[in-house]
Amino acid sequence: MARRTARVLLTLSLALPLLMLGGCSSLFFYPDKTVYITPDQLNLEYRDVYLDTVDGERLHGWWLPAQGEPHGTVYFLHGNAQNMSSHLLNVAWMPKEAYNVFLIDYRGYGQSTGAPDIEGALTDSETGFRWLVQQPDTGPYYLLGQSLGGGLGLMLAAEWQDRGEQPPLTAVVLDSTFAGFRAIAREKLDSFWLTWLFQVPLSWTIPGDYEGVDHIDRISPVPVMVIHSLRDGIIPFHNGTSLYTAAKQPKEFLQTNTPHASTFVIPAYRDAVVAFLKEAAADPGSPASGE
């Protein structure tokens, strides 16, 4: 028992400084370089897009054109694991619904250079959107962020709206998104026996400027749909309800019943999102749903 305790204390003494030094960024980013699937394997047209960030990184993205006369473009920000090729199925259905789709890999993911961190990923999400809105005949623009991508997309949408950037977003969809970077880090640290005692000091190494629940109201009057599953074992359901409560009208909540970030395997959930996007385009700024 004494030896086991000693090993635990040694492990903790090594792990704690590393977590402190890294600012807990490893809790959010799990990139790899594997190509899991490409759009052509799903019979989708596409082209590769390469973008340079203001701080010298090079990002890789995919442009998927709509099938038929486009209703606009969905800018997709994916979750924290692997890379955009493993998340492609979440939006591969959208071109058939007559939406262009543009998705990128954050720095350190897939073919994108660099190493990921929160501020870098926020820069990357804005870099991709600025490229998109400069392309001719691609609007209106819809943002779909899933899990980590929702946290990034929420901040992007809030800043875009605050600054009065043009063209404006038409709608924002946040799927399986946490209420804040620091809040979810604390929650995850609390769930692991080795780090629960240090959840507060470790979580405070994460910048407190990016708590989505504190910023989602700034997106209004752009309509927001919050999607969250009762069965989400990664980002608990209360994160979605917290974001929805903090958001201003117009807003809508879609309660689902799938594993984490698996919303779009269910056709009815796809239909609900398409209906939301169409309503937002038809009557910008009007409430998509009541309280």
Side-chain angles (χ1 to χ4, degrees), residues 4-16 19 188-199 202:
R4 181 179 300 175
T5 301
R7 283 198 299 269
V8 168
L9 292 174
L10 177 60
T11 301
L12 184 57
S13 69
L14 294 173
L16 184 58
L19 282 170
K188 291 302 179 182
L189 291 166
D190 179 52
S191 67
F192 182 42
W193 69 272
L194 192 60
T195 56
W196 72 267
L197 185 62
F198 302 95
Q199 60 185 279
L202 284 175

Side-chain angles (χ1 to χ4, degrees), residues 21 48 57 80 99 114 154 162 173 190 195 262 270 277:
L21 184 63
D48 293 295
E57 302 298 348
N80 69 345
Y99 291 95
L154 189 161
D162 259 6
V173 179
D190 179 52
T195 56
S262 299
R270 299 181 186 181
L277 300 184

Side-chain angles (χ1 to χ4, degrees), residues 120-191:
L122 288 165
T123 296
D124 300 341
S125 64
E126 183 171 342
T127 299
F129 192 60
R130 287 196 179 279
W131 176 87
L132 172 58
V133 300
Q134 292 170 5
Q135 308 311 301
D137 303 319
T138 51
Y141 302 101
Y142 308 92
L143 191 152
L144 169 58
Q146 198 165 53
S147 193
L148 168 68
L152 300 172
L154 189 161
M155 292 304 304
L156 171 61
E159 289 295 316
W160 197 264
Q161 181 70 10
D162 259 6
R163 297 193 299 250
E165 298 267 11
Q166 297 296 322
L169 280 159
T170 297
V172 173
V173 179
L174 305 173
D175 180 19
S176 311
T177 300
F178 43 78
F181 284 91
R182 180 179 287 175
I184 195 64
R186 183 177 298 178
E187 190 168 341
K188 291 302 179 182
L189 291 166
D190 179 52
S191 67

Side-chain angles (χ1 to χ4, degrees), residues 49-54 57-63 73-77 101-107 112 120-135 138 141-143 156 160 169:
V49 176
Y50 293 92
L51 308 174
D52 294 320
T53 68
V54 293
E57 302 298 348
R58 190 162 178 79
L59 309 179
H60 176 226
W62 282 331
W63 171 263
T73 302
V74 173
Y75 180 44
F76 177 58
L77 297 173
V101 176
F102 180 51
L103 59 162
I104 64 164
D105 264 332
Y106 321 119
R107 61 190 63 199
S112 296
L122 288 165
T123 296
D124 300 341
S125 64
E126 183 171 342
T127 299
F129 192 60
R130 287 196 179 279
W131 176 87
L132 172 58
V133 300
Q134 292 170 5
Q135 308 311 301
T138 51
Y141 302 101
Y142 308 92
L143 191 152
L156 171 61
W160 197 264
L169 280 159

